[in-house]
Amino acid sequence: DMTKMIGGVPSLVTWDLDYSDGELVEAELAFFAQDNDGNVWRMGEYPEEYDEGKFLTAPTWIHGYEEARAGIMMQGKPQLATPSYAQGWGPAVDWTDRGQVDQMGVETKVPAGQYKDVLVIAETSAAEPDAQQLKYYAPGVGNVYVGWRGAGEKTKEILELTKVEQLDAKAMAVVRAEALKMEKHAYEVSKNVYAHTPPLEQMPSTGQAAK
């Protein structure tokens, strides 16, 4: 329930944690906005990478800084047999990801349930042109499965959605506090990019007038 103004666009904030064998390897603040045609844009990312609990680096890219440009996270009207599209452009940190509609109308079963009419997006990058991540998106839910394809794929990562949970006000307050804590660190370590962005703002709740 927080936003950050990026390039004059109020962008929704997500807070992601990535664990491997129970150990936190990456935490990330990412920013998204939707246009009038339904396209969801990735406005930038602040990822923190860790090793054995120690902070290593934060390869940040945000639209408008160091030649970075927003890219499309999800097309409003995806179609098969269409060209790939940039998911963002962050040359300072080698962010060159691209997406392309790979399959539509797929049925997928994961621990969280069985989903129909699933959209599959194949993602690749300039650094690994012969490696693809396959991301499965279910209507009304989002990303439910991640697979891989290609001889150049190194991690061969597979992820499955195990549970869908709606956070209550107390849990949201905890998440909000953690996001703000992470942003404080971002201002300290990302001097060339994040330090120049305006602070996160909480969205007004229902019935609450915006200030």
Side-chain angles (χ1 to χ4, degrees):
D1 63 349
M2 304 196 78
T3 62
K4 177 182 277 289
M5 190 68 72
I6 299 176
V9 178
S11 303
L12 192 67
V13 182
T14 63
W15 176 59
D16 297 323
L17 301 177
D18 187 359
Y19 289 87
S20 178
D21 295 326
E23 179 182 315
L24 179 66
V25 294
E26 183 175 285
E28 178 182 84
L29 294 176
F31 312 99
F32 301 92
Q34 189 170 32
D35 64 27
N36 292 333
D37 293 323
N39 301 303
V40 176
W41 291 77
R42 188 195 305 265
M43 304 299 290
E45 298 180 346
Y46 170 75
E48 292 187 347
E49 299 175 1
Y50 301 88
D51 184 27
E52 296 183 351
K54 295 182 179 180
F55 171 76
L56 297 178
T57 185
T60 308
W61 70 271
I62 294 178
H63 174 81
Y65 300 93
E66 296 188 328
E67 300 183 12
R69 292 292 179 266
I72 293 178
M73 172 65 180
M74 178 62 66
Q75 294 175 313
K77 297 179 180 179
Q79 296 181 15
L80 291 170
T82 52
S84 67
Y85 49 87
Q87 295 185 313
W89 175 252
V93 294
D94 294 326
W95 175 273
T96 58
D97 287 20
R98 299 187 67 83
Q100 186 172 26
V101 177
D102 190 76
Q103 301 174 61
M104 297 183 71
V106 174
E107 188 167 336
T108 302
K109 186 176 182 180
V110 294
Q114 190 158 341
Y115 300 97
K116 297 181 179 180
D117 198 24
V118 171
L119 170 68
V120 182
I121 301 296
E123 297 184 354
T124 188
S125 68
E128 298 178 302
D130 56 348
Q132 293 181 326
Q133 266 198 330
L134 302 177
K135 295 188 176 179
Y136 291 61
Y137 294 91
V141 180
N143 193 190
V144 298
Y145 180 84
V146 177
W148 62 275
R149 181 172 63 200
E153 178 59 44
K154 298 176 182 178
T155 62
K156 299 180 180 179
E157 183 178 53
I158 293 178
L159 302 173
E160 294 180 317
L161 181 67
T162 60
K163 182 172 63 173
V164 177
E165 184 175 356
Q166 184 73 39
L167 301 183
D168 59 20
K170 184 177 180 180
M172 279 300 301
V174 172
V175 170
R176 192 181 308 118
E178 289 296 328
L180 290 171
K181 179 181 177 181
M182 189 170 176
E183 171 160 88
K184 182 179 179 181
H185 191 229
Y187 280 125
E188 296 171 355
V189 301
S190 180
K191 298 293 187 181
N192 294 333
V193 178
Y194 208 100
H196 297 284
T197 66
L200 298 180
E201 294 184 352
Q202 186 176 351
M203 298 169 62
S205 59
T206 304
Q208 176 182 343
K211 295 181 180 180

